[in-house]
Amino acid sequence: MRLTLHVWRQDNPTSKGRFETYVVDRVSEHSSFLEVLDVLNEQLLEQGKVPVAFDHDCREGICGSCGFVIDGQPHGPLPDTTVCQLHMRHYTDGAQIWIEPWRATAFPVIKDLVVDRTAFDRIIQAGGFISVRTGSAPDANATPIGKINADLAMDAAECIGCGACVAACPNASAMLFTAAKIAHLASLPQGQPERFERVVNMVATHDDELFGHCTNHGACQNACPKAISVDYIARLNADLRKAATRRPGSDA
Amino acid sequence: MELDAKIPDGPIAEKWGRHRFEMKLVNPANKRKHRVIVVGTGLAGASAAATMSELGYVVDCFCFQDSPRRAHSIAAQGGINAAKNYQNDGDSVFRLFYDTVKGGDYRSREANVHRLAEISLNIIDQCVAQGVPFAREYGGHLANRSFGGAQVSRTFYARGQTGQQLLLGAYQALEKQIAAGGVKMYSRHEMLDIVLVDGRARGIITRDLVSGQIQSWAADAVVLATGGYSNGFHLSTNAQGCNVTAIWRAHRRGAGFANPCFTQIHPTCIPPAGSHQSKLTLMSESLRNDGRIWVPQEPGDTRSPSQIPDAERDYYLERIYPSFGNLAPRDISSRRAKEAVDEGRGVGPSGIGVYLDFRDSIARLGRNVIADRYGNLFDMYRNITGENPYEVPMRIYPAPHYTMGGLWVDYNLMSTIPGLHVIGEANFSDHGANRLGASALMQGLADGYFVIPLTIGDYIAREPLAPVNTEHPEFTRIEGEVRGRTTALLETDGTRSVRDFHQELGKLLWEYCGMERSEAGLRKALLAVPALRQEYHENVKVPGSASDLNQSLEYAGRVADFMEFAELLCIDALNRDESCGAHFRVEHQTSDGEALRNDSEYAYVAVWEHTGTSSAPRLHKEPLTFENVPLSQRSYK
Amino acid sequence: MAAAIRPAERRSAAVRSSVGQKIAMAVTGTILLLFVIAHFVGNLKVYMGAEEFNHYAEGLRTFGSPFLARGQLLWLARIGLIAAVLVHIGAALSLTLRSRRARDVGYRKTESLAFSYASRTMVWGGLTILAFVVFHLLHLTFGTVHPEFVHGDAYSNFVTGFRSWPVSIAYMVAMVPLGFHIYHGTWSAFQTMGVNNPRYNAWRRPLAVTIALIVSAGNAAFPMAVLSGLVA
Ligand SMILES: Cc1cc2nc3c(=O)[nH]c(=O)nc-3n(C[C@H](O)[C@H](O)[C@H](O)COP(=O)(O)OP(=O)(O)OC[C@H]3O[C@@H](n4cnc5c(N)ncnc54)[C@H](O)[C@@H]3O)c2cc1C
Ligand code: HEM
Ligand code: HEM
Ligand code: SF4
Ligand code: F3S
Ligand code: FES
């Protein structure tokens, strides 16, 4: 099939970006969206042009490297799917496709479709962990964890840190990402001791990184390739409320 | 290069304990005076960096992805082994040790494997304490499954995302230490060389992938945790960025490379759909429990599967291995599939692939039971291929998956370069000639959490290290070499793309040094590879500049190193004139196509010393002795 | 990255956070919501005729006597309301600015970004409501814009007020944004205040819709009732 791609090109963080239009012929319907960009890049190479930069690694929908906005939808039109797992059979021959990087002040563009997502790492640094020295752990079965809670934690822990939630949110809020980690750790007994400091610190960092606030639009959930639910945001809000109302020490 | 494995003496079960006592310790107050470089943030690297920083060492940590959390470990699906014996089904440290040595077809070091089995217990405890959401029973206790044909249920798992959850645990521990200031993290930095001063590893050279800046980093010790080299085959189940660069560059500086030819092929992957293909996706082996593998009897039969009557189908595994049938071991079923394809009986648009058919089991058990067991796998397959496995048979084909070979290390995980330590898939690991399922994650975390943090102290405490900083001329010199290499790639300005070359190299290796290896084939490869490498340096086309984000340049550098490494891979395969584990030399097989070992001549680790790009590498041997697991031949009859 | 806080600082940090502001927004929003509902229920008395309605309006003022002087409690309530509106608007303002700053470069195409009309129009909806309330006060409370305003006779003000078509239509139109605002507001308030229990989650949206419909439609019915002569 033949596709017309309008791709955001930007040489560096400071330069002004623009859309450039390329036509890619003989695209196999079996190839993934990233493989189409591979083909485009080979093509650009032949024409002596600079290939399009985009983040990717596993190409299995698990590492969270890939991601850009296709026709206004982060990760493209398919629900619960990353761009590396989006296959061209979902497009029609002759389609016009607009490709843009994640747009958020907290995710400055580095080049073309590559953005800087290290703000996510800093949110985790603020408390997205359980403090346990290597070697100091009790036997793994010492604390039984009900299947329900274990599964809840797992649902939240599925977040791959891709940033699509931020890209989709009208406020460019990272609340879904933050909430997923809060919920993962708060669902487990091991996560209780640090629970309330964790939520306050992570939200404070979230704000400092210039992410927007959450006004419960729900667009993040629809864009999330792992279908992380906004219910976790309610959970985060509840924990933050408790952090404000409960006396430290009387926690959990 | 002399090889001293430094294996502690005493009975196998006491070696590690005794060694822990005998190792020298670094005074707590002095630890913060010592800087350690960790390259890689996979399970091995992240756990090592976090733990060493907890102990007080100053750690500089590097990865080429935009975040440490994206290391390739994230893709591991199946699970992680541990001899917890929670199922009370007769598992024990010794049994895990025994299975692993046997699974490695007697080409691994007993002492290391036993330590691995011992530590497996602590790993699960550590991960649970970190909040890794392992699967659980309704009673709240941890669930286990049996994996990769093991007789006991010792595999712990988190849905189909075990690697992801374990890595997030290690990543979060790492981020905690970063916040505490103990670790400086440099993501989007690629290590392009190591620096030796007075024969010791004292630093590395990196390229900042965003600014293009070439930079030197000095330390008291260097730890490589840079993963495996399956991508040498171009198409593999590995992530796009996986490479041999870090360990290859270390090899060129004097680190012995052990058993490079021990590479594992996974039988059940989704076949390539065309030339655009960039990676192959792994499908869990469990599918073979209920799927029947077949190809048309006649070559070039292009009818759709449904139109091929049973009489004209060849269920070849069931035919050749009546007792094991479709559950024949990884390497055997892989080789038979390739055979069928080579005979022109392959299926699918590309003719590369065999059918994995669920028709009969759906008829027998009903669609729901099958959906229950494999629902998510079927969805994954459908998403990628657009075909519905409930109606048309799946197409599968083997793909390179894991590399047992790597840099040689002693019991302390130190390479033949003093101060250069290697952990995880990057070292010639504890898996011998073949890795059992769910044991790589175990090894990565054992090395990172529990071994290297102690042995690095022993190294630092033993020898007083002269202070070294990046002003040292060696750093300037090697920085220069690195710059030279990158600019050379850019200035070649030929006509062929890097991907094009990589594809050709991959084809060569797959054809002659893949599942089946023969002397004739390997000799062909040994002529073709150097020629291809020469053309590469004369005719590769790399666009863009060296002074900004240039993914083509990154790729070009990695392929350049694969081009050099590929030769060593074939040399080792040619030298190992026996079949063992995943290394199959057609000249050596039993009547029923089984790998035929030659213990009297090849019960050793082949360690290669680099002598120059144009001169042949020198072979050193570490003999292997088996005092606890009697040598025996496996049989699937 | 924000320096990690000590447990002692945690309360203030929580309140200052964007989530803290959201909670303030939700609380004040809910107060306003409750007022609107109560106000609507009170206004239903208009169907019972002048006596009842004026008695109720008067009751509002003499409530709490003899302990409180006439109108005192009402004024307390009013002050509460005014405070709520101020906090609510203040929070809305700061959050909206935050949102603008969080995305400096917008998308070329956004129509397919999946989120509801109601949520997108919260600010504008809110502002129209504000405008309405101002007009409404001048109309039925102070009578400034009411041609036949009679102090103390809420009922006749009500009837004569809505006899004028333009006024009635203005009221009815204003109820549309109110409905949307209350719909998303109510659901949003559940989220923000962390009312999130698997057992009830399924009911949050239906409940929000019902409240929104009853209040906006019910309110819109008053002018109609007058125009149709049902209330005269
Ligand atoms: C699809 C798949 C499924 C698997 N499933 C299982 C399973 O179920 N059970 C199991 O036990 N094993 C499994 N494995 C194997 C296992 O995942 C890996 O062997 C293991 O994760 C390797 O971890 P590592 O830390 O050694 O290296 P990796 O996780 O590969 O990490 C490599 C790190 O090194 C960095 N790096 C590499 N080169 C450089 C450089 N030049 N400069 C700077 N940084 C560099 C990378 O950025 C990365 O951070 C699977 C593998 C694959 C491909
Ligand atoms: C009597 C009138 C009003 C009522 C009943 C009301 C009610 C509510 C409620 C319940 C919320 C949900 C809070 C939350 O999100 O948790 C809300 C949010 C909001 N309101 Fe109002 N409000 C009113 C007036 C206003 C006014 C005058 C404005 C002026 C700007 C306004 C702007 C907003 C905004 C921007 C939100 C944020 C949306 C969100 O956070 O989800 N509202 N309102
Ligand atoms: C169409 C529907 C409505 C009708 C018929 C109506 C009717 C009235 C009447 C008759 C009064 C005067 C009461 C008195 O002075 O004794 C009043 C006061 C008031 N109304 Fe409404 N109202 C309506 C909708 C609303 C809405 C939607 C809001 C808010 C968003 C609102 C806010 C107020 C306020 C703040 C007052 C002043 C209360 C006070 O005296 O402090 N009204 N309304
Ligand atoms: S919440 Fe979903 S969209 Fe957001 S980062 Fe995690 S996986 Fe990506
Ligand atoms: S879209 Fe944005 S507003 Fe909240 S619910 Fe999701 S973060
Ligand atoms: S490339 Fe890893 S998620 Fe898409």
Side-chain angles (χ1 to χ4, degrees), chain C residues 20 55 89 109 112 115 127 166 168 170:
Chain C
H55 182 264
I89 298 180
K109 294 183 70 165
S112 38
F115 59 104
L127 288 173
S168 288

Side-chain angles (χ1 to χ4, degrees), chain B residues 16 36-52 59-62 71 73 112 115-116 119 167 170 174 191 221-229 243 246-247 250 255-256 402-416 419-431 439-456:
Chain B
W16 178 230
V36 179
I37 286 174
V38 177
V39 186
T41 59
L43 288 183
S47 56
T51 305
M52 289 192 289
V59 179
D60 290 335
C61 191
F62 301 81
S73 293
N112 289 52
R115 173 176 65 188
L116 177 63
I119 291 175
L167 182 59
L174 175 63
M191 167 194 162
V222 176
V223 179
L224 297 186
T226 53
Y229 49 83
N243 66 84
I247 56 176
Y402 182 86
T403 54
M404 285 73 69
L407 292 186
W408 182 88
V409 289
D410 62 17
Y411 191 75
N412 294 324
L413 303 181
M414 186 160 86
S415 71
T416 55
L420 179 69
H421 298 71
V422 190
I423 61 180
E425 191 174 345
N427 69 19
F428 94 104
S429 54
D430 313 346
H431 310 298
S439 57
L441 299 179
M442 172 172 67
Q443 180 228 341
L445 290 179
D447 291 359
Y449 280 130
F450 297 103
V451 181
I452 195 70
L454 305 184
T455 55
I456 205 105

Side-chain angles (χ1 to χ4, degrees), chain A residues 215-216, chain C residues 22 25-26 29-30 32-33 36 88-89 92 122-123 126-127 129-130 181 184-186 188-189 192:
Chain A
T215 56
N216 307 314
Chain C
K22 266 309 302 286
M25 177 122 236
T30 313
L32 296 175
L33 182 60
V36 174
H88 192 74
I89 298 180
M122 277 318 261
V123 176
L127 288 173
I129 298 173
L130 189 63
H181 195 91
H184 179 72
T186 312
S188 181
T192 304

Side-chain angles (χ1 to χ4, degrees), chain A residues 68-233:
Chain A
F68 39 77
V69 174
I70 305 172
D71 293 333
Q73 286 172 296
H75 286 305
L78 231 58
D80 310 348
T81 310
T82 55
V83 279
C84 60
Q85 288 291 290
L86 172 62
H87 288 74
M88 298 319 287
R89 72 183 67 93
H90 301 292
Y91 285 85
T92 51
D93 187 20
Q96 299 269 336
I97 304 174
W98 292 81
I99 304 172
E100 305 171 74
W102 293 162
R103 301 280 192 202
T105 312
F107 287 168
V109 172
I110 293 174
K111 185 177 183 181
D112 297 342
L113 303 174
V114 178
V115 301
D116 178 349
R117 284 172 294 196
T118 49
F120 271 7
D121 293 326
R122 290 187 290 274
I123 291 177
I124 299 297
Q125 281 162 32
F129 48 76
I130 289 169
S131 304
V132 49
R133 284 184 74 91
T134 304
S136 62
D139 182 85
N141 260 348
T143 322
I145 303 172
K147 195 174 186 323
I148 312 294
N149 272 341
D151 287 347
L152 253 175
M154 183 63 215
D155 291 340
E158 283 195 16
C159 166
I160 59 174
C162 64
C165 45
V166 177
C169 175
N171 308 324
S173 172
M175 214 42 94
L176 192 61
F177 166 82
T178 311
K181 187 46 63 188
I182 299 274
H184 161 208
L185 299 176
S187 308
L188 300 168
Q190 292 85 352
Q192 298 313 312
E194 297 163 296
R195 180 172 168 190
F196 295 104
E197 279 68 34
R198 176 183 300 123
V199 67
V200 172
N201 281 320
M202 288 179 73
V203 169
T205 305
H206 167 279
D207 295 352
D208 293 354
E209 292 290 340
L210 294 184
F211 289 107
H213 60 298
C214 170
T215 56
N216 307 314
H217 284 296
C220 51
Q221 169 181 302
N222 302 333
C224 174
K226 295 295 160 185
I228 304 290
S229 159
V230 292
D231 291 354
Y232 292 127
I233 295 180

Side-chain angles (χ1 to χ4, degrees), chain C residues 35 39 43 61 78 132-133 136-137 141 158 162 171 219:
Chain C
F35 165 80
H39 182 55
N43 286 336
R61 288 160 174 69
R78 287 172 172 164
F132 163 81
V133 173
H136 178 54
L137 290 179
T141 306
F158 185 108
F162 287 130
Y171 266 78
N219 275 342

Side-chain angles (χ1 to χ4, degrees), chain B residues 259-325:
Chain B
N259 300 335
C261 79
F262 287 166
T263 62
Q264 184 175 69
I265 311 285
H266 198 291
T268 52
C269 303
I270 301 177
S275 58
H276 57 76
Q277 192 84 19
S278 59
K279 78 107 53 167
L280 297 170
T281 303
L282 179 103
M283 300 286 284
S284 166
E285 248 174 315
S286 58
L287 288 166
R288 292 201 281 148
N289 296 339
D290 288 307
R292 296 181 68 195
I293 295 175
W294 64 276
V295 293
Q297 263 168 359
E298 290 313 311
D301 184 338
T302 54
R303 285 174 296 173
S304 78
S306 55
Q307 264 137 26
I308 303 180
D310 271 27
E312 296 168 43
R313 300 177 173 194
D314 177 10
Y315 293 90
Y316 55 88
L317 285 179
E318 299 173 11
R319 176 168 54 80
I320 308 173
Y321 307 98
S323 50
F324 262 78

